[in-house]
Amino acid sequence: MSRNLYVPDNLNLDSLIENNFPAIGEAIHYGITKDNLAYIIDLIVRKREFYKKINSWEFINLKAAYLKNILGDDYVNCIKFLKENGIIECDGIIKKGEKSLGYRIALPFRGSNILEVEPSFDIKQKLNRFRLKELDANPVLKSLYASRTHLIQTLKSEAFSIDIKSAFRELETNYKTKMYIRHQSKATYSGEDAAEVEAEINSAISLHKKNIEKLYTKSFEPVIDIAGQRLHSPITNMHKILRKFLTFKGEPLVSLDLKNSQPYLSLLTLNKKFYKYNNNKTLKYFDFEYYINLFHTHTPYKILDLVESLENIDDVTLYNYIEDAKNGVIYDRFLEVQPNDEFYEELRSEIKGDFFTCMFDKGYRMKFYEEFYEAYKLPFQLFEALKSVKGKYFKYKNGEKVDMGHGRLAVLLQRIESNLILDEICKKIYRTDKNIPLITVHDSIATLSQYKDFVKKTIEEELTEVIGFPPRIKEENWIP
């Protein structure tokens, strides 16, 4: 099933081409077609569907190889054409092996509503061909789609729906107000930045509406990414304030969410058995490529010696990390406000983002890095060692291998999460009672209230057995 392409509704690509190429066939000669232009614009716009914290004025990196896969060499002329006509802007920054050129939609197109354009048969064929190539290159991905069919069927079921009118109203009122407050609190809403902020808010609302429409009309296909093996759908892309409008057979849902899920799951990496044993639920089981890199293309002794030393060491930073991760208070440790503070959620989200950057990437750039490192020094030393593993570690994109770099630790924890939540817990529940609806949002499971206790008990039992510590689970009723 090929998706439609997203373009700003105030951009007429047909007229743009006609005004620049009066002679019939001249534009086609250069590969400048409506389809090709729409595809490039769609890549920039749609990125924000999956990365909700990206602002509309930020530049989106587009790898030339990906563009060439679909558009051939014509992508060069199309990019140039869109830039020269003020449709997109480029940051001009490229770092070999690290960063591709970044692009963003230019004002006033950036703040307009989204229009869906059906791609031509040729573009559909190319998109489908590369999707099939990705599946053929990854037999694991094929098996994951098959084993998660019951979850996908629930998402696509007519019984699972959303109150679209109320969701749209929420976007135009409470969500819009919160967005303005958010930018004002960050001192970005000034006379100079007013147009940017207005474009950001309008763009975000338009994308959310499209996401809601896809769920309401069932015009979507859930996607499993080959890196973290997570299941993505309109629910995972949906802002949390909109989930209260979701129902199953007309009944509201209750969500069971793991608190501090990534730090909690990382407790596995502090156990030497995770690296040495070849049975289920070890590094070799969760991420075979990472295991091969660690034990065959990189000397593992530094990591294994460090892990083994953890068993006999009395270290306050190790103790703090284990206790805080177990109790789900990693991010709260660094907050200076209480949960009832009006800015609590936003500040906690910022600290969570900074913590993830420190844990998974080059964290020394973050303002809280020294505080994180001081509180959890020994675990962070292990994380740095795990990120330093040399050798090729890849995810697949459009049938090609892409080096994950520092992202390898994040991907490892995502694979642990997706395996335990989707392939162990959800499957066990499904085998027990096929009538229990399960709606997953990465590290959380939503179900009907009458099944809540059973689902929660299953989560606790399965995770305690694997991680060694019981998880902290946050219950949230999705009620308007």
Side-chain angles (χ1 to χ4, degrees):
M1 179 179 177
S2 295
R3 58 178 172 81
N4 289 337
L5 305 177
Y6 285 179
V7 297
D9 68 351
N10 61 347
L11 173 60
N12 190 321
L13 291 174
D14 289 320
S15 296
L16 185 68
I17 294 172
E18 289 175 9
N19 292 338
N20 281 271
F21 296 97
I24 297 176
E26 188 178 359
I28 296 176
H29 173 74
Y30 290 104
I32 300 174
T33 66
K34 179 180 179 179
D35 269 337
N36 290 354
L37 300 179
Y39 176 72
I40 293 172
I41 293 170
D42 175 83
L43 288 179
I44 301 171
V45 173
R46 200 176 287 268
K47 187 85 167 181
R48 296 187 65 221
E49 268 197 318
F50 298 98
Y51 299 95
K52 295 184 283 292
K53 292 186 179 180
I54 295 178
N55 293 310
S56 62
W57 59 73
E58 294 183 67
F59 290 91
I60 304 298
N61 297 333
L62 296 183
K63 194 173 178 67
Y66 299 162
L67 293 170
K68 191 171 182 178
N69 278 339
I70 302 299
L71 306 182
D73 293 331
D74 292 336
Y75 85 89
V76 178
N77 290 333
C78 291
I79 290 285
K80 182 180 179 183
F81 179 80
L82 289 170
K83 286 167 56 181
E84 289 178 347
N85 283 275
I87 311 302
I88 65 173
E89 299 167 343
C90 179
D91 63 3
I93 302 172
I94 185 170
K95 296 179 181 178
K96 189 174 181 180
E98 291 186 30
K99 182 192 174 303
S100 305
L101 287 171
Y103 300 91
R104 68 181 181 185
I105 307 299
L107 289 172
F109 308 107
R110 188 155 68 240
S112 69
N113 292 325
I114 299 298
L115 178 69
E116 291 190 58
V117 176
E118 184 177 1
S120 67
F121 179 75
D122 181 54
I123 291 289
K124 284 182 181 179
Q125 270 195 323
K126 289 178 179 178
L127 290 173
N128 287 333
R129 185 161 56 245
F130 279 102
R131 179 60 179 158
L132 291 174
K133 184 178 179 182
E134 183 179 59
L135 287 171
D136 289 339
N138 295 276
V140 172
L141 196 59
K142 278 186 176 181
S143 67
L144 289 176
Y145 274 105
S147 65
R148 298 173 183 175
T149 299
H150 64 105
L151 296 173
I152 294 173
Q153 288 176 340
T154 301
L155 290 170
K156 298 281 287 182
S157 168
E158 292 299 324
F160 180 51
S161 189
I162 186 169
D163 182 347
I164 190 169
K165 290 183 179 179
S166 296
F168 277 17
R169 192 182 306 117
E170 183 80 9
L171 286 171
E172 294 291 352
T173 54
N174 294 335
Y175 176 78
K176 181 179 284 189
T177 300
K178 287 181 179 180
M179 288 284 281
Y180 277 117
I181 292 174
R182 169 191 165 196
H183 287 288
Q184 286 173 333
S185 67
K186 292 183 177 180
T188 57
Y189 195 78
S190 62
E192 181 180 351
D193 297 324
E196 290 284 10
V197 172
E198 195 69 30
E200 158 64 13
I201 293 172
N202 291 339
S203 175
I205 289 175
S206 183
L207 280 173
H208 281 307
K209 285 183 176 180
K210 283 298 177 185
N211 189 53
I212 292 168
E213 287 174 354
K214 285 192 295 185
L215 175 62
Y216 183 75
T217 60
K218 304 300 176 184
S219 56
F220 70 93
E221 291 297 330
V223 173
I224 300 173
D225 70 270
I226 191 57
Q229 299 175 355
R230 284 173 153 185
L231 179 65
H232 301 270
S233 72
I235 315 305
T236 57
N237 298 334
M238 183 177 290
H239 195 285
K240 62 182 180 181
I241 67 169
L242 300 173
R243 292 172 186 158
K244 60 190 175 185
F245 302 113
L246 296 168
T247 58
F248 190 84
K249 292 184 177 180
E251 295 184 45
L253 297 159
V254 57
S255 170
L256 302 168
D257 185 18
L258 292 185
K259 295 191 69 175
N260 291 181
S261 62
Q262 299 302 301
Y264 169 74
L265 295 172
S266 74
L267 294 177
L268 260 182
T269 67
L270 304 179
N271 190 329
K272 67 178 182 180
K273 292 181 180 179
F274 181 67
Y275 305 90
K276 286 192 170 182
Y277 292 85
N278 295 330
N279 59 322
N280 285 355
K281 309 303 181 274
T282 60
L283 175 60
K284 185 176 181 180
Y285 173 82
F286 287 115
D287 199 327
F288 183 71
E289 285 185 302
Y290 197 1
Y291 173 84
I292 292 297
N293 291 334
L294 177 61
F295 286 95
H296 295 275
T297 61
H298 176 74
T299 175
Y301 301 114
K302 177 183 177 182
I303 293 174
L304 295 182
D305 288 347
L306 180 56
V307 173
E308 289 205 15
S309 71
L310 300 181
E311 291 189 353
N312 304 310
I313 194 169
D314 183 16
D315 181 82
V316 67
T317 67
L318 176 62
Y319 176 82
N320 286 343
Y321 187 79
I322 293 174
E323 289 301 308
D324 289 352
K326 281 165 48 181
N327 295 317
V329 295
I330 287 279
Y331 318 127
D332 297 79
R333 171 184 279 267
F334 305 96
L335 275 173
E336 297 179 355
V337 299
Q338 297 300 313
N340 58 354
D341 188 281
E342 63 176 318
F343 294 111
Y344 171 80
E345 288 294 338
E346 184 173 347
L347 292 172
R348 185 179 184 278
S349 180
E350 286 185 14
I351 288 178
K352 179 180 177 180
D354 285 347
F355 186 86
F356 279 4
T357 302
C358 293
M359 185 175 182
F360 300 136
D361 205 340
K362 300 175 181 178
Y364 56 83
R365 298 174 181 174
M366 309 307 297
K367 66 177 182 179
F368 289 107
Y369 178 74
E370 289 185 4
E371 291 183 52
F372 295 148
Y373 195 82
E374 183 179 350
Y376 307 129
K377 183 177 180 179
L378 203 57
F380 265 59
Q381 286 178 347
L382 174 62
F383 299 151
E384 290 299 323
L386 289 170
K387 289 187 291 186
S388 71
V389 174
K390 302 299 181 184
K392 296 298 182 180
Y393 176 71
F394 294 107
K395 69 174 181 178
Y396 283 86
K397 182 72 174 179
N398 292 334
E400 293 192 357
K401 288 185 175 182
V402 184
D403 195 342
M404 285 297 297
H406 275 77
R408 55 171 58 88
L409 178 58
V411 168
L412 171 62
L413 294 184
Q414 287 176 10
R415 288 193 178 186
I416 293 172
E417 168 207 282
S418 61
N419 177 271
L420 295 178
I421 298 293
L422 304 179
D423 303 320
E424 298 296 332
I425 295 168
C426 286
K427 190 170 291 184
K428 183 176 182 178
I429 295 169
Y430 178 72
R431 286 171 177 167
T432 302
D433 188 345
K434 292 180 173 56
N435 294 316
I436 299 178
L438 301 171
I439 312 296
T440 62
V441 185
H442 300 322
D443 57 4
S444 69
I445 302 174
T447 189
L448 294 175
S449 60
Q450 60 263 41
Y451 303 117
K452 176 194 70 175
D453 292 340
F454 173 69
V455 173
K456 183 178 181 180
K457 183 173 181 289
T458 306
I459 295 172
E460 290 173 337
E461 290 177 347
E462 293 296 310
L463 291 182
T464 301
E465 181 181 349
V466 175
I467 307 299
F469 306 99
R472 290 298 178 101
I473 298 175
K474 176 184 175 183
E475 292 185 23
E476 181 181 359
N477 292 310
W478 289 351
I479 300 176

